Amino acid sequence: MQAARPAVAAAPAVPTTLSYLPVGLFGAVMGLTGLALAWRLAHQAFGAPAILGQAIGVVAVLTFVALAVAYGVKAAAGWSTVRAEFSHPVGGNLFGTPLISLLLLPFLLADVSLGLARLAWVLGAVGMTVFAWTIVTRWLSVRHTPAQVAPAWIVPVVGMLDIPLAAPLLHWDGLHGVMVFGLAVGLFFALPLLGMLLSRLITEDALPPALQPSLLILMAPFAVGYSAYTTTFGQVDAFAQGLVMVMLFLLPVLLARLVHLPACSPFRVAWWAASFPLAASAVTALRYAAVADSPLMDAIALLILGIATLVIALFAVQTLMGIVRGRLRELS
């Protein structure tokens, strides 16, 4: 009788070049681009130094290029790692961050190269729409547990709301329908997703400390929704004002969750998820202050801009220190 052969253990996966680099790090580009736009608005409304918005904009573009190259190297070295990341029920939603970055970059590129700005917007709009279809299909086809519902699920929705934002800068006729499409899809899916997220946060275990900053994504549908709505229809009506008021209500609630975060969790690049909602809130507050004609709203807008600038600066310093010390893998 032939002896049974011993079972051979599966070989552990061998890490590939930059396999640890998360696609969600493109959230840094989103936050920096939003902050650059906010400082541009502050320059127009309050005479803030123009160089601040310009410098942050340059950093945002360079960051996008660096991350695009780095993630391209990761994909070339190990495509299976990228596929596994995309298949993750939470992390897969963050593949919208490079597409949203493309939709925001025209704000920084239009004055330099209209053709490049148009190319970035087209790639972002088409890619975001296909990505949103893919994610919604996944939601309808794959069963998820309540614990898997996370703020990152809003990213595909926020991405659709970003489609109208830079469209007027492209000087293309016939984009109004596309703008309405992005706005309608984004707002339609925002409501049930927010309901699911609130139910998960209230009835399930709290998010891990390192993911607590992602709670600020809950503000994004209101902050980005205001800019998308007013850009599409060119007016600030009662609905637009309502979006601003909900944003202002949520902001202190969610910021309070971040006060004790450094004490219970060391910095992680996942914290960049909080950067764009903060920057978008600053942009929305500054835009609304420009039409509200209220000293109180001016003060609130400047306060939000200051908070967003401080938080994003801290994230940038921590990330750069991690890169210099060779700890980016640990921070990821």
Side-chain angles (χ1 to χ4, degrees), residues 55-212:
I56 297 171
V58 171
V59 172
V61 173
L62 294 177
T63 302
F64 176 81
V65 173
L67 287 177
V69 172
Y71 204 83
V73 171
K74 169 183 173 176
W79 183 247
S80 59
T81 304
V82 176
R83 285 190 302 173
E85 188 177 8
F86 183 78
S87 300
H88 193 278
V90 176
N93 296 283
L94 297 178
F95 275 81
T97 56
L99 300 172
I100 297 174
S101 299
L102 287 170
L103 289 169
L104 297 175
L105 285 176
F107 284 108
L108 309 176
L109 300 175
D111 293 338
V112 179
S113 171
L114 183 59
L116 193 57
R118 288 176 170 178
L119 176 62
W121 185 86
V122 169
L123 292 175
V126 174
M128 195 67 240
T129 303
V130 173
F131 176 70
W133 277 330
T134 303
I135 293 300
V136 172
T137 301
R138 176 189 294 180
W139 290 341
L140 298 178
S141 305
V142 180
R143 183 178 180 181
H144 295 86
T145 64
Q148 291 175 328
V149 179
W153 281 37
I154 293 180
V155 171
V157 174
V158 173
M160 295 302 293
L161 289 174
D162 283 315
I163 289 177
L165 297 182
L169 301 176
L170 306 178
H171 303 293
W172 270 341
D173 296 329
L175 288 183
H176 182 73
V178 177
M179 296 166 69
V180 173
F181 170 75
L183 175 67
V185 173
L187 291 179
F188 175 83
F189 280 98
L191 293 177
L193 283 173
L194 286 170
M196 291 172 59
L197 285 166
L198 287 175
S199 175
R200 181 256 185 269
L201 293 170
I202 293 172
T203 61
E204 300 290 332
D205 293 336
L207 291 175
L211 294 182
Q212 288 289 327

Side-chain angles (χ1 to χ4, degrees), residues 215-219 249-258:
L215 287 172
L216 270 77
I217 298 177
L218 297 178
M219 292 190 307
F249 173 81
L250 282 176
L251 184 59
V253 174
L254 297 176
L255 282 177
R257 303 294 296 272
L258 306 183

Side-chain angles (χ1 to χ4, degrees), residues 6-78:
V8 179
V14 178
T16 59
T17 304
L18 295 177
S19 60
Y20 58 87
L21 187 70
V23 71
L25 193 52
F26 278 93
V29 180
M30 296 165 52
L32 290 168
T33 305
L35 189 62
L37 180 58
W39 276 104
R40 284 186 182 182
L41 294 173
H43 168 69
Q44 297 169 5
F46 305 107
I51 189 64
L52 286 176
Q54 296 169 357
I56 297 171
V58 171
V59 172
V61 173
L62 294 177
T63 302
F64 176 81
V65 173
L67 287 177
V69 172
Y71 204 83
V73 171
K74 169 183 173 176

